[in-house]
Amino acid sequence: MAKRIDVSGLHVYYGDFKAVEDVSMTIEPRAVTAFIGSSGCGKSTFLRALNRMHEVAPNARVEGKVMLDDQDIYAPDVDPVAVRREIGMVFQRPNPFPTMSIYDNVIAGAKLNNQRLGRTEADDIVERSLHGANLWEEVKDRLSKPGAGLSGGQQQRLCIARAIAVEPAVLLMDEPCSALDPISTLAIEDLIAKLKENYTICIVTHNMQQAARVSDQTAFFNLAGTGKPGRLIEMDETNKIFTKPDKKETENYITGRFG
Amino acid sequence: MTTTDSSATPQTPKGKRRIGDVVFANTASGSGILILAILAGVAAFLIIQSVDSLGANTANFFTTTGWDANTREAPAFGVAALAFGTVLAAAIALLIATPIAVGIALFIAYYAPRKLASVLGYIVDLLAAIPSVVYGLWGIGYLVHQLTPFYQWLSTSFGWIPLFAGPVSSTGRTMMSAGIVLAVMILPIITAISRDVFLQVPQAHREAALSLGATRWEMIRMAVLPFGRAGIIGGAMLGLGRALGETMAVAMILSPALVISPHLLQSGNQTIAAHIALQYPEATGYGVSALIAAGLVLFAITLVVNMGARYIVARRKEFTE
């Protein structure tokens, strides 16, 4: 299930603009890897390049290599649609489909893979995914109600349930708690700790305490300067990054003495 | 500074009435009331003017197909055939135009390269600027001749369906032709509104679908069409409103007959609007009043269609943010 991601020499461009420069890293399976860094440092772009979501923007392209176990996700014969079925994503703002019920939201992705999904099979997937997202107890009596009627934190867990219903190998989370209150944030963090038993998880966060709490590995990104591309400064065990980082830049950032 | 006077004269805080605000508020509410007044005025006019002939009518207005109203003695007329023709022409137009318009709108919004999309959007908007009399000329001078062989084929192949039963009108001036021209006329409005709604689908919803491994078409089905549903219906209803009331093009194209006929490829049928336009110049006796009664029916149909559309749009409110 969980797979390792191996990135080597990855550059990401939007048209002529180079957003991310020369990133190489290994993202371990069954672990949480946090990407930290100031706004605009390319960490979200890098995250989106891992499942080719950045291609939604016109003229986006990459150089370099991203391997999912032994499969090159940028190989010419690889369909980005297939990549995204392997590598799911959770976004900054909870985005359940507004016209769908809770049930339909969860099953939406699974239906794409299997058009002739039986009713009992679908019920199983919905229950399993909602359990997996720690949401089942809260919504089991109102599965046919609109997903948009849930609270923000519940919506975000609904989105996680929707993502894991497809049974991906990797879950990418782009600041999943930044629109949530502290209680909901705690619920998501607990969930991340549980999910890492089965998935490879990458999380972008602005909250350094969160990175310290949930992640095993931390990668620090920074800009070389205004208008310059973002670069990976340092990546290591989370403990080490937050106690004795190798680079001065990292230390400045995590201690709040930035720049 | 702020406490010097307040203890002496305790007052509830009162907004100062600024002249600009007062003028604007009155202008705005005046405009709103004017709309209601115009609508009520039109309805009152139609009702008052039609009472005359409806009282004298010796036939049942709602079930009679004939139109014998240009007399002072025992007029006998009914709106049945006209109402049927009106709804039929509009329905054909809507059935043809809506899928095409949604297709064009999706193409412009999600498939076409950006430059082509803006050119295409512009051209579609231009279609809306063509006067209806020009559509009528085009329809009768060109389109009907091109369509006649197609009607022949349709009738030979699918003549067993009553809609397409022969004998096919040799002039091509049929309900089908009128419906097709109306479809072209309402295409721009449906396209423009659908396109606007499709472009408003939040990026978050589209990315949600894509991140689940949806193809572009699946993304459209999951995120764009459900979100745009109300907009498509709204656009279609605006188009329907235009098709119901369209006069000139239908009057020019259709070879009228006051019958209720489901045979789209034969000549016959007539719409209320075209009937009024064609009959009005030579109306005598109760004629004018009878035509106004027909106009009242058209008014009522349009009102019902619009209210129906609003109901459909509102019914799914719970599921839209």
Side-chain angles (χ1 to χ4, degrees):
Chain A
M1 264 189 89
K3 292 185 179 176
R4 170 180 283 102
I5 298 179
D6 236 310
V7 184
S8 44
L10 190 76
H11 304 260
V12 187
Y13 300 85
Y14 291 119
D16 293 332
F17 175 69
K18 194 186 219 180
V20 174
E21 184 174 63
D22 196 20
V23 174
S24 300
M25 68 165 69
T26 300
I27 297 165
E28 295 295 334
R30 295 195 173 74
V32 178
T33 304
F35 300 162
I36 60 171
S38 53
S39 295
C41 69
K43 57 194 188 308
S44 283
T45 298
F46 175 73
L47 186 82
R48 292 164 72 90
L50 294 181
N51 73 342
R52 301 183 66 169
M53 273 303 285
H54 70 296
E55 290 175 10
V56 171
N59 302 324
R61 64 196 167 84
V62 301
E63 286 167 11
K65 215 169 192 181
V66 179
M67 301 291 290
L68 182 65
D69 275 1
D70 44 15
Q71 180 198 18
D72 179 358
I73 69 164
Y74 282 102
D77 59 334
V78 170
D79 183 358
V81 168
V83 170
R84 293 177 200 139
R85 286 184 187 178
E86 277 286 280
I87 307 181
M89 193 155 198
V90 176
F91 298 85
Q92 189 169 357
R93 298 205 142 268
N95 57 355
F97 295 116
T99 54
M100 290 186 193
S101 66
I102 293 170
Y103 186 99
D104 289 340
N105 259 292
V106 177
I107 207 68
K111 259 191 191 157
L112 294 176
N113 297 315
N114 181 0
Q115 304 283 351
R116 308 178 60 81
L117 204 60
R119 181 76 201 181
T120 45
E121 212 179 329
D123 287 348
D124 282 350
I125 293 176
V126 168
E127 183 169 348
R128 180 154 35 90
S129 306
L130 285 171
H131 269 304
N134 288 346
L135 192 58
W136 175 252
E137 291 302 325
E138 292 159 65
V139 301
K140 65 181 176 191
D141 299 323
R142 45 174 173 155
L143 292 175
S144 60
K145 288 278 185 302
L150 299 174
S151 76
Q154 289 173 324
Q155 285 187 25
Q156 194 61 298
R157 279 180 282 148
L158 177 61
C159 292
I160 293 174
R162 181 176 67 185
I164 61 180
V166 187
E167 299 188 353
V170 180
L171 265 186
L172 306 178
M173 299 184 171
D174 191 356
E175 299 181 39
C177 303
S178 64
L180 305 182
D181 64 79
I183 304 286
S184 306
T185 299
L186 193 65
I188 302 275
E189 287 180 4
D190 288 347
L191 178 56
I192 291 172
K194 173 175 141 188
L195 289 171
K196 80 170 182 184
E197 292 166 15
N198 293 314
Y199 301 92
T200 308
I201 295 177
C202 296
I203 176 171
V204 166
T205 178
H206 272 294
N207 180 330
M208 278 181 278
Q209 286 81 9
Q210 180 171 64
R213 282 193 300 265
V214 301
S215 72
D216 304 294
Q217 298 272 318
T218 297
F220 172 60
F221 288 76
N222 203 0
L223 292 176
T226 320
K228 298 260 179 62
R231 291 171 302 129
L232 174 64
I233 304 298
E234 183 174 1
M235 179 173 177
D236 215 322
E237 302 277 332
T238 297
N239 246 333
K240 177 149 187 299
I241 291 279
F242 283 100
T243 50
K244 40 182 193 320
D246 289 336
K247 301 269 171 61
K248 187 74 184 151
E249 268 177 281
T250 315
E251 192 181 341
N252 285 345
Y253 183 74
I254 59 160
T255 54
R257 274 182 280 118
F258 187 59
Chain B
M1 282 187 294
T2 50
T3 53
T4 42
D5 287 353
S6 62
S7 54
T9 50
Q11 276 179 337
T12 50
K14 210 173 178 183
K16 200 171 136 195
R17 287 172 67 82
R18 291 178 181 81
I19 182 78
D21 283 350
V22 173
V23 169
F24 182 77
N26 287 336
T27 319
S29 39
S31 309
I33 293 165
L34 188 66
I35 286 291
L36 289 176
I38 290 173
L39 192 69
V42 169
F45 161 79
L46 289 173
I47 291 168
I48 292 166
Q49 295 285 313
S50 57
V51 163
D52 193 22
S53 62
L54 288 176
N57 196 359
T58 56
N60 186 324
F61 181 64
F62 292 107
T63 56
T64 307
T65 57
W67 195 266
D68 183 14
N70 293 327
T71 167
R72 272 281 151 198
E73 324 247 311
F77 58 91
V79 80
L82 295 172
F84 175 81
T86 302
V87 173
L88 183 62
I92 296 171
L94 204 61
L95 279 179
I96 296 174
T98 308
I100 298 175
V102 171
I104 297 174
L106 284 176
F107 178 73
I108 292 175
Y110 292 112
Y111 286 93
R114 202 165 289 181
K115 274 190 185 142
L116 179 63
S118 61
V119 171
L120 212 59
Y122 190 64
I123 290 175
V124 171
D125 287 344
L126 274 184
L127 272 183
I130 300 175
S132 67
V133 66
V134 174
Y135 275 112
L137 280 173
W138 171 69
I140 193 166
Y142 174 78
L143 192 68
V144 291
H145 306 302
Q146 305 303 312
L147 284 172
T148 313
F150 167 68
Y151 290 165
Q152 292 287 1
W153 170 83
L154 202 60
S155 174
T156 332
S157 313
F158 298 100
W160 49 272
I161 304 172
L163 288 178
F164 305 131
V168 173
S169 158
S170 59
T171 60
R173 298 176 62 182
T174 63
M175 210 58 192
M176 194 68 170
S177 301
I180 290 172
V181 172
L182 286 178
V184 178
M185 294 178 71
I186 66 175
L187 201 58
I189 183 85
I190 306 180
T191 306
I193 290 184
S194 306
R195 179 195 57 196
D196 287 352
V197 181
F198 293 158
L199 287 175
Q200 279 167 19
V201 175
Q203 175 123 12
H205 297 162
R206 289 185 274 132
E207 289 191 342
L210 291 175
S211 74
L212 294 172
T215 61
R216 197 175 335 198
W217 164 236
E218 287 165 340
M219 180 270 282
I220 286 170
R221 254 188 10 206
M222 277 167 93
V224 175
L225 290 181
F227 184 90
R229 222 179 88 113
I232 297 170
I233 294 174
M237 288 301 155
L238 278 178
L240 184 59
R242 181 164 185 202
L244 286 171
E246 175 49 41
T247 311
M248 211 52 226
V250 178
M252 290 168 79
I253 291 164
L254 201 57
S255 162
L258 295 180
V259 293
I260 296 181
S261 158
H263 308 304
L264 304 182
L265 304 183
Q266 302 174 18
S267 59
N269 285 324
Q270 175 65 305
T271 71
I272 294 177
H275 182 72
I276 294 174
L278 293 174
Q279 293 286 315
Y280 191 83
E282 44 206 63
T284 56
Y286 282 110
V288 172
S289 172
L291 289 174
I292 290 173
L296 182 62
V297 172
L298 180 58
F299 183 76
I301 293 175
T302 319
L303 211 63
V304 168
V305 163
N306 276 310
M307 281 160 63
R310 273 168 198 283
Y311 173 73
I312 294 170
V313 172
R315 204 177 42 176
R316 298 280 294 187
K317 268 274 164 63
E318 194 191 8
F319 274 90
T320 50
E321 283 172 317

